[in-house]
Amino acid sequence: MSRSAAVVPEAAPAPLAVAEHLELRHGDHLAVEASSFTLPAGCVVAVIGPNGSGKSTLLQALAGVLDPAAGRLEVRGESPSRHGRLISFVMQSLQFPQGVPLTVHDVVTMGRYTTAGWFRRLGATDRAAVAAAMERVRVTDLADRHLDQLSGGQRQRVYVAQGLAQEHDVLMLDEPVTGLDIVSARTIDEIIHEQPERGVSVVYTTHDLDEAAAADHVVLMDGRVVASGPPAQVLTAANLDAVYGRGALHAPLLVHLDDPADCPPDRG
């Protein structure tokens, strides 16, 4: 009589990020109070909250550009700063020296410097990655245009193309579709939700409940992580009332919670 082979359960996938009692500061300002959470890998994570709630600060820490003031934060099992070049971080706006005639192609090509270095001649693989990124965000026809000749939506697509051109397994974006025209917003939204199919984890900040509801995982912030989990568990009336105030929502998941143009600058 033969014995059936023992069934070995599959190991749970490693999380994208784990934080324990994480505190984040900008100088003397405590931007994020002690928070603990786990972010799953291989999916879309939306970070949502009012202006000044710490969204951008948390993204900076996850991207490795801001060190924790206290507590522990790991991305893929190590310090975010050590994860390095495989995290592609697209900020809400990029600053380039005034008067420098950077073209769209120049800016997207900069995404390859994290792996190729600033002084090595780019090879065929690098050029192909740049071309593919530009094609995906629909800026190929703008390749020779200077940044100051572009609309806000076009510039944001160029910044996203730079992030895509970089070798990465994690894509982080700070309010990537805020204030954009419908074509640019739809293009970037499509990119966000197709990345996990390519094995890339996505974390992005947003003010929009609709965007957050469409994510796989949501982090709700208000100076700390109030809740973290699937949208249905996080975007509850009780949680939203606690963060935004009772009566702030007339049509949950159908409206922007705030308009950046009407609010003070986001300290988060």
Side-chain angles (χ1 to χ4, degrees):
M1 183 175 178
S2 61
R3 285 185 174 181
S4 57
V7 177
V8 179
E10 293 185 7
L16 170 63
V18 176
E20 294 181 352
H21 308 295
L22 175 68
E23 291 185 7
L24 300 173
R25 291 180 175 271
H26 292 294
D28 294 331
H29 171 63
L30 179 60
V32 176
E33 298 177 9
S35 299
S36 299
F37 58 87
T38 299
L39 304 183
C43 64
V44 175
V45 177
V47 183
I48 191 168
N51 285 339
S53 61
K55 301 185 301 298
S56 296
T57 299
L58 179 60
L59 200 67
Q60 291 167 12
L62 290 168
V65 299
L66 178 67
D67 292 329
R72 180 176 72 93
L73 175 63
E74 292 185 352
V75 174
R76 293 288 180 84
E78 59 186 8
S79 166
S81 60
R82 292 190 60 188
H83 200 69
R85 65 181 178 83
L86 293 183
I87 295 178
S88 183
F89 182 27
V90 181
M91 293 180 286
Q92 189 174 9
S93 62
L94 300 176
Q95 299 296 323
F96 292 100
Q98 292 292 324
V100 176
L102 288 172
T103 66
V104 167
H105 187 270
D106 292 335
V107 173
V108 178
T109 300
M110 289 178 183
R112 300 301 298 175
Y113 294 157
T114 55
T115 49
W118 286 90
F119 304 107
R120 184 176 71 79
R121 187 172 182 177
L122 299 184
T125 299
D126 301 306
R127 293 192 294 272
V130 170
M134 293 178 63
E135 179 67 23
R136 181 61 193 89
V137 302
R138 305 175 188 173
V139 296
T140 302
D141 59 330
L142 304 175
D144 296 326
R145 297 269 294 275
H146 293 174
L147 283 185
D148 56 8
Q149 297 175 317
L150 306 181
S151 69
Q154 290 171 330
R155 280 196 299 273
Q156 187 64 16
R157 278 189 275 155
V158 171
Y159 302 150
V160 171
Q162 184 189 84
L164 293 179
Q166 178 180 337
E167 287 188 19
H168 62 282
D169 56 19
V170 183
L171 179 63
M172 299 188 181
L173 308 100
D174 193 9
E175 296 190 29
V177 300
T178 298
L180 299 189
D181 61 274
I182 188 65
V183 172
S184 295
R186 183 175 295 164
T187 299
I188 294 172
D189 183 70
E190 290 172 354
I191 289 169
I192 287 172
H193 289 279
E194 74 186 18
Q195 288 293 296
E197 298 175 5
R198 305 181 182 195
V200 175
S201 302
V202 179
V203 185
Y204 73 105
T205 63
T206 180
H207 285 283
D208 192 319
L209 277 175
D210 279 345
E211 290 180 26
D216 302 305
H217 189 97
V218 178
V219 178
L220 178 63
M221 300 197 67
D222 189 21
R224 62 184 177 86
V225 174
V226 174
S228 178
Q233 295 179 13
V234 173
L235 300 177
T236 64
N239 283 341
L240 295 176
D241 282 346
V243 171
Y244 294 99
R246 187 169 298 278
L249 303 175
H250 297 290
L253 306 186
L254 296 178
V255 296
H256 286 85
L257 293 174
D258 51 17
D259 183 350
D262 297 330
C263 299
D266 193 344
R267 295 173 303 171

